[in-house]
Amino acid sequence: MTLRKTILATSALSVIAGAAVAEMANDMTLVSWGGAYQNSQQKAYVEPYLEAHPEVSATWDESSAEAVAKLRAMNEAGNITWDLVDVVAADAIRLCDEGLAMEYDPEELLAEGEDGSSAEDDFGDLIVSDCFIPQIVYSTTFGYRTDMVPEGVDAPSEICDVFDLETYPGKRSLEKRPINNMEWALLCDGVAKEDVYDVLETEEGQEQALAKLDTIKDSVIWWSAGADTPQLLADGEVFMGSTYNGRLFSVIEEQDQPVAMMWDAQVFDLDGWIIPAGLPEDRLARVKDFVKFATDTQRLADQAAYISYGPARKSSAPLVGKHADLGIDMGPHMPTDPENAANTFVYNYGFWADYRDDIDAKFQAWLTK
C-alpha cells in the first residue's frame, strides 16, 4: 500500500471511529425507585460514570413502580422517553414477553467477572429473562417499633404476628399490591409454604387470601413507595410495616430510629435493569456503555456499601465490605446472611408474570370495598 493510501485509510478509520463516538447520546434518563436504593445507585455507579464521562448527564425518574403501564403507553404513542429502567424480575419477564424490553447477549453487553468468569456464569441463574440485567438480591420483610411492643409481650418475630391484632395492636403498613401480601395471608391461614402458589392460582385460593387480609384491613395504611413504611415507622404512625430490607436498614442504622427487623418469611426477589425496546441508535449506544460499567464486579460490590442488598454477581460478594459512612460490616445486614435467612419465602417470578394483571385487578377492586 502506498503512503498516500495508508494515510487515506487511517483517516477513514478515524472518521468512522469519530462517528461512532458522535453517535453516542450525551444524556440518559434512568428510571428507579427513589429513596435509599436510588441513592445507592447514584453513589456506586452513576457518579463514577459521569466523572469518567463529563460530557454526559443523567436524569432520574422515580417511576419504577409504574414501569409496565408507562412503557406500554410509551410504546403505543411511539415515544420512548426512558433509556434504562430498574424493575423487579417479574416485571422484566412481562416486559420481555410483550416485546417492550430489549433482549440481549450477556457476553456482548456485560463485562466479564473480575475473577475471569464469563458474565453468564458470574450472574448465573439470576438472569431470569432474556431481557433482565440483574443488579441486586433483596427481600421484602417487616420492621416494627421497638417502643410500641406491649408490656409483658415478646417482640414480634413471626410473620403471622402481623395478623395478630389482639397481641400486637396498632396500625400496619402493607404495599398496595397483591404480591407478597397474598402469599403471607395464605401462610397465616394454614397453607403450607410449598403449596402457596398452587392455591393462589385458583379463584378459591385468591378469595382465601383476601379473606385473611380482611381481618386486618381496617388497621392497614397502604403504601406505594418504598420510602413510605420507613417514614411511617419513624413517625410512629404504624406499629409494624412491610418494605424492602434496605429501606429498613436505613431507618435503623443510618437514622437510629427505635425500629427492629423481623426477618421471618422474608420474600427474596431480584431487581435489575431492562433496556426499552426501540431506542434510537445513539441512545442505545450510550446505555450499553453505561450498563457494562454499572454492572461490573466492583460497581455492584460498591453498591452494597450504601445499602444492604446482595450484589447479583458471584464475583462481587467477596468484595463487599463496610458501610461507606457508618463503617459497620455489611455482611450481617444482607438478607442472604444465614441468621436472617432461617425461614425465607422464595418468590415465584413465573407465577406473577402470568397472573399479575388478573390478581392485581381483583386486589384493587377488593381495596375499594
Side-chain angles (χ1 to χ4, degrees):
M1 183 181 286
T2 65
L3 178 60
R4 182 174 181 276
K5 287 182 177 178
T6 301
I7 292 171
L8 287 172
T10 303
S11 298
L13 288 173
S14 298
V15 169
I16 292 169
V21 172
E23 287 173 2
M24 198 177 290
N26 285 337
D27 57 85
M28 297 184 293
T29 299
L30 310 175
V31 184
S32 191
W33 305 86
Y37 177 58
Q38 185 173 300
N39 180 64
S40 74
Q41 296 174 305
Q42 176 73 13
K43 293 291 186 183
Y45 37 81
V46 174
E47 288 181 6
Y49 184 81
L50 297 183
E51 186 175 346
H53 300 275
E55 75 281 7
V56 179
S57 64
T59 302
W60 287 106
D61 185 324
E62 300 176 7
S63 298
S64 283
E66 297 84 39
V68 174
K70 289 196 172 186
L71 280 170
R72 286 170 177 165
M74 288 181 191
N75 186 65
E76 278 192 27
N79 183 27
I80 309 298
T81 60
W82 292 344
D83 296 302
L84 190 61
V85 187
D86 188 299
V87 292
V88 295
D91 283 349
I93 293 171
R94 286 201 294 166
L95 290 166
C96 202
D97 289 346
E98 294 179 25
L100 300 177
M102 185 190 83
E103 294 186 8
Y104 73 96
D105 178 356
E107 301 310 315
E108 178 188 327
L109 181 64
L110 308 176
E112 69 175 21
E114 199 166 283
D115 58 1
S117 59
S118 70
E120 197 159 11
D121 288 342
D122 206 15
F123 284 102
D125 58 9
L126 300 190
I127 302 178
V128 297
S129 161
D130 292 336
C131 304
F132 182 62
I133 306 162
Q135 292 177 78
I136 52 99
V137 179
Y138 73 98
S139 76
T140 304
T141 190
F142 281 84
Y144 64 90
R145 289 280 304 206
T146 56
D147 58 348
M148 293 173 66
V149 177
E151 191 173 347
V153 173
D154 291 335
S157 60
E158 298 180 356
I159 187 61
C160 297
D161 293 338
V162 174
F163 294 87
D164 187 355
L165 292 172
E166 183 175 346
T167 306
Y168 300 103
K171 292 286 187 180
R172 277 76 166 131
S173 59
L174 296 175
E175 189 172 6
K176 198 175 183 179
R177 66 175 189 168
I179 293 174
N180 301 330
N181 292 324
M182 303 287 270
E183 289 96 324
W184 287 325
L186 289 178
L187 285 174
C188 295
D189 204 44
V191 177
K193 187 188 296 188
E194 63 270 18
D195 296 332
V196 163
Y197 287 109
D198 288 337
V199 173
L200 196 54
E201 71 180 5
T202 68
E203 292 282 336
E204 296 80 10
Q206 294 161 22
E207 292 301 328
Q208 181 182 352
L210 293 175
K212 184 65 175 179
L213 288 167
D214 260 327
T215 64
I216 60 170
K217 187 179 182 182
D218 290 343
S219 297
V220 172
I221 296 175
W222 300 98
W223 61 268
S224 298
D228 292 347
T229 286
Q231 191 62 56
L232 291 167
L233 286 167
D235 294 343
E237 291 188 38
V238 298
F239 170 49
M240 63 174 72
S242 68
T243 191
Y244 314 124
N245 73 283
R247 302 300 185 110
L248 290 171
F249 171 86
S250 180
V251 79
I252 294 168
E253 299 294 341
E254 296 174 348
Q255 300 175 34
D256 197 27
Q257 295 287 342
V259 175
M261 199 93 78
M262 190 177 73
W263 292 103
D264 188 55
Q266 60 166 321
V267 182
F268 276 179
D269 202 349
L270 303 174
D271 200 88
W273 300 114
I274 63 97
I275 299 173
L279 289 183
E281 286 188 13
D282 62 334
R283 288 166 59 192
L284 180 57
R286 174 59 67 191
V287 165
K288 285 183 173 180
D289 189 64
F290 173 73
V291 165
K292 180 165 282 192
F293 175 87
T295 59
D296 73 14
T297 296
Q298 189 61 57
R299 299 288 84 75
L300 293 185
D302 288 348
Q303 188 175 1
Y306 298 95
I307 199 161
S308 56
Y309 296 146
R313 278 186 179 267
K314 299 184 189 79
S315 63
S316 299
L319 304 183
V320 172
K322 296 182 181 295
H323 189 277
D325 300 316
L326 303 178
I328 60 176
D329 289 329
M330 292 300 287
H333 298 280
M334 298 292 169
T336 49
D337 182 81
E339 288 194 20
N340 302 332
N343 181 36
T344 61
F345 186 87
V346 180
Y347 181 85
N348 188 319
Y349 311 109
F351 175 88
W352 281 111
D354 291 340
Y355 288 92
R356 173 71 185 273
D357 288 340
D358 290 343
I359 296 180
D360 211 15
K362 181 175 290 189
F363 185 83
Q364 299 306 324
W366 169 80
L367 282 176
T368 63
K369 293 180 181 177

